[in-house]
Amino acid sequence: MHWLNLASRLPCTEAEGPGRRAALWVQGCNKRCRGCCNPAYLQLVERELVSAASVLDWLENAQHVHDLEGVTFLGGEPMLQAQGLAVVAQGAQLLGLSVMVFSGYTKTELEVLQLPGSVQLLQYTDVLVDGPYDANLPEHSRRWAGSTNQQFHYLTARYDDRIEIDGEVERVVEVRLRTDGSMFINGWPEKVLR
């Protein structure tokens, strides 16, 4: 059985990739990019330990309730949990959902490092956005990329580069008030945080 250590999850968002998507943020990252928009997700500590099978059940329910187009994996660093995410990605594609992954590792680094499960995860990924966030190279002309050094890799024919720039490129931010009174902000919150 494969396990995941999740930092957060949303059953439906329109700020983390094309269309309505579920989003899974994993806990833990060894990249430590200066200016990371998810600094609370960097520490390599246990947060919410769940089985990949239970995440698939959650995802199938979210798809039914929200008519999702896909799922996005973010972090933290998804490639550090590639084995469990590969199971979820394969199940997502069997449900007809697209899979988008954001990684601080470049595709070339992943090919060299062969992190456990990374080859399998990429096998079930439609779009990989790779490369570390560089605060000195802010991206203003493409959706979802944080800095200009980050690259989109279209690993299937499901999407192409039109998703990056089709229409007006706008930074989407979603704000949710949780039942415990805390706030959850996702998307690209640079304007909110200034």
Side-chain angles (χ1 to χ4, degrees), residues 58-173:
W58 171 85
L59 183 58
E60 186 172 13
N61 182 64
Q63 179 192 27
H64 175 73
V65 171
H66 300 287
D67 189 30
L68 299 178
E69 178 173 333
V71 61
T72 299
F73 303 149
L74 313 102
E77 175 51 61
M79 291 303 167
L80 295 181
Q81 298 189 45
Q83 289 175 305
L85 288 176
V87 172
V88 176
Q90 181 181 18
Q93 288 197 339
L94 290 172
L95 292 170
L97 298 172
S98 65
V99 176
M100 186 171 192
V101 178
F102 287 84
S103 176
Y105 289 100
T106 65
K107 190 169 180 281
T108 302
E109 285 178 308
L110 291 171
E111 290 164 358
V112 170
L113 293 172
Q114 297 287 304
L115 297 171
S118 63
V119 170
Q120 293 81 5
L121 176 54
L122 292 178
Q123 179 182 347
Y124 298 110
T125 297
D126 296 291
V127 181
L128 169 67
V129 181
D130 77 346
Y133 172 69
D134 187 334
N136 296 316
L137 300 171
E139 177 63 73
H140 300 292
S141 62
R142 297 180 298 164
R143 289 184 181 93
W144 309 303
S147 54
T148 58
N149 62 298
Q150 295 173 321
Q151 298 298 310
F152 285 70
H153 299 274
Y154 298 94
L155 306 179
T156 69
R158 187 158 188 164
Y159 298 111
D160 60 37
D161 63 359
R162 289 176 290 187
I163 66 169
E164 300 170 47
I165 55 172
D166 193 23
E168 183 182 341
V169 174
E170 176 182 1
R171 295 289 188 189
V172 176
V173 175

